[in-house]
Amino acid sequence: MEESIFLSIDEAKRGLSESTLKHLEYGYRMFVMKPAKDQDFFEFAMTVLRVWPFIIEKSEKAKKDRFCYTFRYAGRKLSKVSPKLHSKL
């Protein structure tokens, strides 16, 4: 698990769902997409491909640290989840 990175979808309207927070608590390294109400498979795939270089870059910088980044459906930018959240876990 130390080197594994998980790509997840979180449908919570605000913040992160409890299941995502539990994964962080257990030390998972995660990239979480916040989906739109209406989405199609092609745009979903294009979203992941657009952020993929950033996912690789962030993963290499934090080799064994736990982290969580979110990105929006059809987005291009990763947002780091606050370390304050990590300290609460």
Side-chain angles (χ1 to χ4, degrees):
M1 182 174 78
E2 288 179 6
E3 295 183 19
S4 299
I5 297 171
F6 295 90
L7 182 59
S8 176
I9 296 175
D10 190 321
E11 295 182 349
K13 292 184 184 201
R14 293 190 143 203
L16 297 171
S17 68
E18 279 195 49
S19 63
T20 300
L21 293 174
K22 283 290 186 189
H23 283 93
L24 279 173
E25 181 181 338
Y26 293 130
Y28 287 81
R29 299 164 0 127
M30 302 178 65
F31 291 92
V32 180
M33 186 179 88
K34 301 294 278 184
K37 287 183 181 182
D38 298 321
Q39 55 189 2
D40 63 57
F41 183 75
F42 178 77
E43 187 56 41
F44 171 78
M46 294 309 298
T47 299
V48 173
L49 288 174
R50 274 193 295 273
V51 298
W52 197 253
F54 304 112
I55 288 174
I56 292 170
E57 176 187 332
K58 301 291 184 189
S59 301
E60 288 177 348
K61 286 183 180 177
K63 285 284 186 199
K64 295 195 180 193
D65 298 332
R66 71 176 170 178
F67 58 78
C68 182
Y69 288 91
T70 61
F71 61 98
R72 299 246 174 238
Y73 175 77
R76 299 174 186 262
K77 175 178 109 165
L78 296 175
S79 300
K80 188 169 187 173
V81 173
S82 170
K84 291 178 186 176
L85 176 65
H86 292 206
S87 64
K88 291 180 183 177
L89 301 177

